[in-house]
Amino acid sequence: MISFLFSLRSCFLKVSRGVKTPLFCYNGVVSEGNEGEMSNMGLTLPIELFQQAKRTMISQQENVLLSWVCELPDGAAKRVFDQGNEAFKGERFFWQNKERTLRLAGLGATDQLHVEQGQDRFLMLHTRKEQVLRQTVTNSEETACGAVYFGGFSFDDQHDTSPEWERFGEGFFYLPLFLVTEKEDCCYLSVNVWLSEHDDYEKIEAVMAQWDKLISSPIRSNPDVACISEERLAEDAWLLAAEDVVALLQEVTSMQKVVLARRMRLGFDGFISSSRIIAHMEEQQANSYCFVLENGTSTFFGATPERLLLADVDHLESACVAGSIARGETAGEDAILGETLLSDAKNLAEHHFVVEMIEATLARFCKDVQVSASPTLLKNRDIQHLYMTVSGQRGEAKMLDVLRELHPTPALGGWPQAEAMAVIRLKEEADRGFYGAPIGWIDPLDRGEFAVAIRSALVTGTNALLYAGCGIVADSVPAEELAETAIKFQPMLRVLGGRVHERS
């Protein structure tokens, strides 16, 4: 029989690949798990782990989070997400990293964090995560498994939250009841359940029966919906704001850049399926993170190329993505455009601001900071960017402390940061919400990854708001910057079936 060893902080077993061989119970018989039989039989959480959780609860005199992790030989995160459409719609998330080596699908909310204005959002998430960790009994320390929180922050916690973003507030995260983690040719299931002193094993049985019902559910096809309206919002006002910012930057030479964002609205003849959104993003938006975060009738999603922070035990890494140009219609044209971007002084200057800021930030938290030698091209379907990486040895840095200092980078806010944010608050009336802000996941041992939520949209009911921005510098031409934002709308227009404006 497996012996589980726990403590308040170090309650994780160090075993092969981070997961202790699970116990399964079939018809009341407890035995070592046979992975080959998992696809044919329901899973039962080991009663020994439940009993250990109850003992821990008694000794600590507080509720305990039981977090069980096992391998799913035939698991698939996207399939489970789709199967959860009826039982968990409005309480799901999906994440796929840029390299497509990690997929997460979360269903149900065992714990939820909603940050209101005036609260320290990064500290609140860190405190909640640490508190839950102290109360957790688990059989795993596998990365991106167990008590993983997924969600995002608002772009600017000093901006009043607009009605369409109220469900998300200044920060919104949840710990899923069921988490499927697909990585490194393996797939894991995490089951996260709070236990109180009055709970018995029947609660666990009910949860596992819910899982059995979920994975036996058919994947129902979603009805086609059509985009029936398209409105580019406040273009004239945006052009005037851009002109004002250019004049300001020409006058105040200590300011180098301000990023202005704008929106467009799409209307549909029905409700948009998150499953279909994911399928379209995977098909159309290679070399991008794909994310979906549902909260009731609101869904925030995107296909972003930009990593903000990757954190493992001893390593931190960020990406410097800035400057942009369209893709060519032929390989030759694409190459010419790419070379133009690599030699363009304005775009190189914008990119340099980002590199300097990220390097300086990581240097405050890391040893041996490394910066890639020179910009390369990061190519997506509709747009290409200048790209470099910055990394370092982590030391004792807390992930959310680093994240706080990185956001917003000059690519999304401007430079200097504080002055640029002041101008944005003055010139942008619309609430960016989660657009341009950190979105991602963090696990119990402070490992995780956050991307910058660009190329993104918010769906509420049968409407969608799309967001795009660009950096304004002293020699910017507002009409040209407006055209650049139009290119940046293209990825989400494709995903949603809107009218894509191809270049002539």
Side-chain angles (χ1 to χ4, degrees), residues 19 22 24 38 43 68-72 139 187-190:
V19 179
F24 301 102
M38 289 175 61
L43 300 179
W68 178 54
V69 181
C70 70
E71 288 194 42
L72 293 176
N139 68 321
C187 193
Y188 302 91
L189 168 67
S190 303

Side-chain angles (χ1 to χ4, degrees), residues 157-419:
D157 62 352
Q158 295 187 36
H159 196 292
D160 290 338
T161 303
S162 58
E164 67 267 19
W165 286 105
E166 284 179 352
R167 285 186 174 273
F168 295 95
E170 303 303 334
F172 178 78
F173 287 81
Y174 65 89
L175 166 67
L177 173 63
F178 300 119
L179 172 67
V180 176
T181 304
E182 190 180 343
K183 62 173 183 172
E184 300 168 358
D185 299 322
C186 293
C187 193
Y188 302 91
L189 168 67
S190 303
V191 182
N192 298 300
V193 184
W194 281 109
L195 295 176
S196 67
E197 60 178 330
H198 303 295
D199 291 326
D200 56 26
Y201 195 72
E202 288 182 357
K203 180 173 183 176
I204 300 300
E205 290 176 327
V207 170
M208 298 313 297
Q210 194 175 11
W211 168 255
D212 291 342
K213 183 177 179 181
L214 169 68
I215 60 172
S216 63
S217 301
I219 298 176
R220 304 187 187 280
S221 60
N222 297 289
D224 290 329
V225 297
C227 181
I228 57 176
S229 66
E230 177 183 312
E231 181 184 5
R232 295 174 183 263
L233 302 174
E235 281 193 351
D236 291 341
W238 191 91
L239 282 169
L240 289 174
E243 291 173 0
D244 290 345
V245 170
V246 169
L248 175 66
L249 295 174
Q250 291 173 347
E251 180 179 347
V252 183
T253 56
S254 60
M255 290 187 64
Q256 284 84 42
K257 176 183 177 182
V258 175
V259 177
L260 291 181
R262 68 188 189 98
R263 307 180 300 164
M264 67 181 301
R265 179 183 291 114
L266 303 182
F268 298 84
D269 63 359
F271 294 100
I272 304 167
S273 159
S274 292
S275 294
R276 184 158 290 179
I277 285 171
I278 295 169
H280 288 174
M281 288 193 296
E282 287 187 324
E283 176 187 358
Q284 300 168 9
Q285 302 300 324
N287 208 21
S288 296
Y289 294 86
C290 295
F291 63 86
V292 169
L293 177 61
E294 295 181 343
N295 185 5
T297 58
S298 297
T299 302
F300 180 58
F301 64 93
T304 174
E306 189 167 345
R307 168 182 290 155
L308 185 57
L309 184 64
L310 171 68
D312 60 24
V313 172
D314 54 10
H315 177 82
L316 296 177
E317 183 174 311
S318 184
C320 310
V321 181
S324 60
I325 201 167
R327 297 296 305 274
E329 295 181 1
T330 66
E333 183 184 9
D334 194 60
I336 291 171
L337 287 168
E339 289 301 317
T340 299
L341 180 60
L342 286 168
S343 59
D344 182 75
K346 171 184 177 294
N347 282 290
L348 287 169
E350 286 190 49
H351 187 255
H352 184 65
F353 298 149
V354 178
V355 176
E356 278 195 326
M357 182 267 192
I358 292 178
E359 181 182 9
T361 301
L362 289 192
R364 299 204 297 272
F365 295 95
C366 297
K367 298 178 181 177
D368 191 27
V369 173
Q370 302 289 324
V371 182
S372 53
S374 59
T376 59
L377 295 174
L378 177 64
K379 294 177 180 283
N380 301 114
R381 177 167 179 169
D382 297 287
I383 193 167
Q384 47 191 322
H385 300 280
L386 298 172
Y387 175 83
M388 291 176 67
T389 60
V390 181
S391 62
Q393 296 180 11
R394 178 173 181 173
E396 300 298 319
K398 294 180 175 62
M399 184 180 186
L400 291 166
D401 286 345
V402 183
L403 202 68
R404 179 205 300 273
E405 296 303 311
L406 284 173
H407 174 71
T409 71
L412 271 301
W415 191 252
Q417 186 185 75
E419 290 85 345

